[in-house]
Amino acid sequence: KSTDGELFSDVTKLDVPGKPNEATLRFRKDGTMVALVRRDGGNQHGWVGSAKSPYTDWKWTDAGHRLGGPEFLVLPTGDMWAGTRLHTGKETKTGVGRLTLTGLEPALTLPSGGDTSYPGMVWHDNLLWMSYYSSHEGKAKIYIAKVRFK
């Protein structure tokens, strides 16, 4: 936190074990902050956390999947959708899934493989627009997907 935008102090320590390293933070309409965190230790599953203001009391749960480059949006409906590299056995794919405070439910696997991930996401004209990179066609390329929800 900061009162002048130059000097900052910690609000709290996010007590996430298992070598956390990449994270995305977003706010829900009610002011709840949500975090989606990649972990490279333990069972390597990502974690989902949430806290209400003043953001000092975090509740954490196992997302149920190993993640890479986690990104998510809170849609105007309040639903949360995540894009991430999903590890399924020996394969890696970039996927999209419904994110809740209790985990990630993969819903769509995008054309991808090998070195893939780091999605960028935006909600525009009632579509999820998502960019990501992948090496499934040989040399890594950047792709864009438009996802419509029913």
Side-chain angles (χ1 to χ4, degrees):
K1 67 182 176 179
S2 175
T3 58
D4 63 9
E6 293 183 14
L7 298 174
F8 291 86
S9 63
D10 292 342
V11 172
T12 192
K13 179 181 177 188
L14 300 180
D15 195 21
V16 178
K19 299 182 182 177
N21 54 52
E22 300 169 342
T24 296
L25 300 169
R26 299 278 182 246
F27 289 93
R28 300 185 85 170
K29 289 179 185 178
D30 68 359
T32 300
M33 186 186 296
V34 179
L36 181 59
V37 181
R38 172 183 172 176
R39 297 170 57 245
D40 286 343
N43 67 6
Q44 297 185 326
H45 287 180
W47 273 23
V48 181
S50 65
K52 295 189 179 297
S53 182
Y55 312 112
T56 56
D57 183 27
W58 283 81
K59 306 216 179 341
W60 294 98
T61 188
D62 185 321
H65 300 275
R66 186 175 170 199
L67 310 176
E71 169 68 303
F72 75 97
L73 291 178
V74 180
L75 302 186
T77 61
D79 292 334
M80 297 185 294
W81 285 85
T84 186
R85 176 177 52 239
L86 292 170
H87 298 261
T88 56
K90 294 183 180 183
E91 265 191 339
T92 58
K93 298 280 187 179
T94 293
V96 177
R98 182 181 300 273
L99 180 65
T100 68
L101 298 181
T102 59
L104 176 67
E105 304 164 14
L108 175 66
T109 300
L110 298 172
S112 56
D115 188 14
T116 183
S117 186
Y118 297 101
M121 299 170 69
V122 65
W123 183 253
H124 178 68
D125 287 340
N126 291 316
L127 292 172
L128 172 65
W129 292 70
M130 187 168 131
S131 63
Y132 64 100
Y133 80 92
S134 178
S135 64
H136 68 285
E137 295 182 310
K139 188 175 179 181
K141 297 177 184 176
I142 297 172
Y143 298 86
I144 189 162
K146 293 188 292 185
V147 181
R148 181 180 314 277
F149 298 105
K150 291 184 179 188

